[in-house]
Every structure is written in C-alpha cells, then in structure tokens.
Amino acid sequence: MDRALRLPEAFRERLALQLGPDEAARVLAALGEPRTRWVRANRLLTTPDALAAELAAAGVELRPAPAPFADAFALEGGDVRALQATPAFAEGRAYVQSLSSMAAVLALAPEPGESVLDLCAAPGSKTTQIAAAMQAEGRLVANDRSKKRAFKLRAVLASQRVEDFVEVSVARGESLARREPGAFDRVLLDAPCSSEGRFHLDEAASWADWKPSKVKRLAGEQRRLLLAAFEALRPGGVLVYSTCTFAPEENEQVLSKVLRRWGDAAEVEPLPAEFPGTAPGLARWKDRDMDPRLARARRFLPGGGVDGFFVARLRRVV
C-alpha cells in the first residue's frame, strides 16, 4: 500500500495541482522520510566550530548544514537525548531548530542596533536566532497573543540567555501594531498556519485536524496579521512573511491580496541568500492570477532533512 494514501485525499489532490503529479509524488514520499534533527550554534555564547568540537568531545557527532546555514549542523543519528545531556545544551550554546525555521531569520537579516518585532514569536526559536544575529544590541520585541505560549517563550529566551534583552509582549498582533505604528526596522511574521509542510506519513496526529475549511479560516487571520505587521514597519523597513504550509490560500494569495491594498507602498524583494531545494512562489492558483512579483518568494519543498516552508521578503517603500 502506498503510505501517502494515509493523507487526506483533498490534500493530495491540491498538492498535485500546485506541483504537478510527478513533483507532488516526490514531495509525498519525502513526507515519509525520517526527520533530521538540526542544531544551531548560539553565536552569543560560542562559535559553530567551537560547538562542533565541544560536542564531538562529548560523543555527539555533527554534520555541517549546507549553505547558507553557517550556524547549523545535522545531529548524526538524531539522538536528541545525548545532546540534551551535554553542558553545551544545558548552558544555551546549542539549540535544536529546523533549517526551514532558520531560513526565515536569514531572510529577515536583522542587524545590531535595529528595532525588530517578532509578531507571532512563541515558542521562541526564531526570536533567539534574531537576538544572536543582533548581537543583543538594539531592541527586540517578541509578541504572542497566548499567555500560555508566552510562558514557553520566556523559558526558551532564558535557556538561550537572552531574557534580559528581549521584550516579551502578550497581545493580539493587530493591537500591538496600533500601539506602535511605524516603530520597527524589521518585522517577522511567522504566521499561524495549517502546517502542511510538517505532515509526516507515520504521524497521523500531524494532519488529524486538517481540512480545506481550516485553510480558509487561517487565511483570513493571516491577512489581518500581515496588515498589522506592515503597519508596525517604518518606511524603508523589511517584513518577512513565512508559513510552514503549502496552501496557496495561506501563502501567495494572502500576500497578493495585501499587496493590492498596499499599492506602491510595498515591494517584494528576492531573498538575500540562495536556498537549496526551493521553488519560486506561484503566479496562479485555481484560475486566479496572483501578483507576479511573488515569484521572488521561495517555496521550500520537503526532502534532504528540510521541512515544507514558504518565505517572502517585502520592503515598505513609503
């Protein structure tokens, strides 16, 4: 039996429409591959070379990630427990994070001294990566609307030794933008999504609540958050929009609709680095044309240890 048949039929049909039958079959097969565990070196506390040497001495072997993931390593054998038993992990020098998650921050490219907003920050993986890229200099606000998720966020910030640098906000994204319009040089919106890129053929729970109506509902929430993120951005600032789903309604269609509303105030930029195993954003979905500039966005297709993901980088012109 084809293991991919475990996934919802509507999802499989939609994927074939997006990618074509052959590429969709390859992606479905990739969703059954063993998950690769990736480790990011916390540059606030160590260097990638020093971390690799420290963990090798502790019996934990790492394999360097492909470019442009200079801070990342694959955990050979995937033994997370062995990693968690090391001082490097306990003291915040090593952090487990997927490559696709790291890609969103590389696209954002934050710099020391800037004012940066992580609008939907919990559990905090990308927030701590942003803090390291900023060298803990400037202002970094990590927002989440859930008090429960914000508790987890604070714990992750503490584990990476950046709890004193990051401002934690618990608010709806829309209200935060109204409170601080035009206040940020860079905004990351890693939006709540249907998580199609994280489906796994051996984990029925990963798709148990998926249905087309959920995709539609989330798209409305994503549009509201994206408008808020743009409002919080200063003229000349950079906004990165990312999801871990394939659904065009949650990716290109959301952006296309919002770009029409923004008009000449926004531009879509190429990502500042080349990422392997990616494809351009879609220009058309179900007989609807989308903003052609979204070809500069990137779709990360599963395979080789990378999860499905979508990243677009925009600049507020005025």
Side-chain angles (χ1 to χ4, degrees), residues 40-201:
R40 175 173 56 82
N42 179 359
R43 281 190 180 263
L44 290 173
L45 303 175
T46 189
T47 66
D49 288 346
L51 177 65
E54 179 184 359
L55 290 177
V60 178
E61 294 296 329
L62 303 177
R63 170 172 45 87
F69 301 99
D71 296 345
F73 300 88
L75 182 61
E76 296 284 19
D79 191 349
V80 175
R81 289 186 178 181
L83 172 68
Q84 291 172 335
T86 66
F89 184 86
E91 295 166 10
R93 292 186 292 281
Y95 186 79
V96 177
Q97 183 178 355
S98 70
L99 284 191
S100 53
S101 172
M102 296 183 213
V105 178
L106 294 180
L108 186 68
E111 297 182 358
E114 292 184 325
S115 180
V116 181
L117 170 63
D118 188 353
L119 191 59
C120 298
S125 300
K126 298 177 186 68
T127 310
T128 59
Q129 186 184 354
I130 292 170
M134 296 175 69
Q135 299 174 27
E137 298 176 9
R139 183 189 183 209
L140 175 54
V141 177
N143 179 73
D144 202 274
R145 69 181 184 182
S146 165
K147 291 183 180 180
K148 182 177 180 180
R149 286 171 59 84
F151 181 82
K152 172 63 174 176
L153 170 63
R154 289 188 175 94
V156 170
L157 297 178
S159 76
Q160 296 291 283
R161 309 300 190 263
V162 291
E163 69 272 29
D164 293 334
F165 171 61
V166 181
E167 301 174 30
V168 176
S169 166
V170 182
R172 295 186 64 86
E174 299 90 332
S175 64
L176 176 63
R178 286 193 295 269
R179 191 168 71 232
E180 297 201 50
F184 297 95
D185 299 297
R186 299 179 197 261
V187 177
L188 173 62
L189 172 54
D190 186 52
C193 71
S194 56
S195 301
E196 294 175 353
R198 293 285 297 163
F199 287 1
H200 196 280
L201 300 185

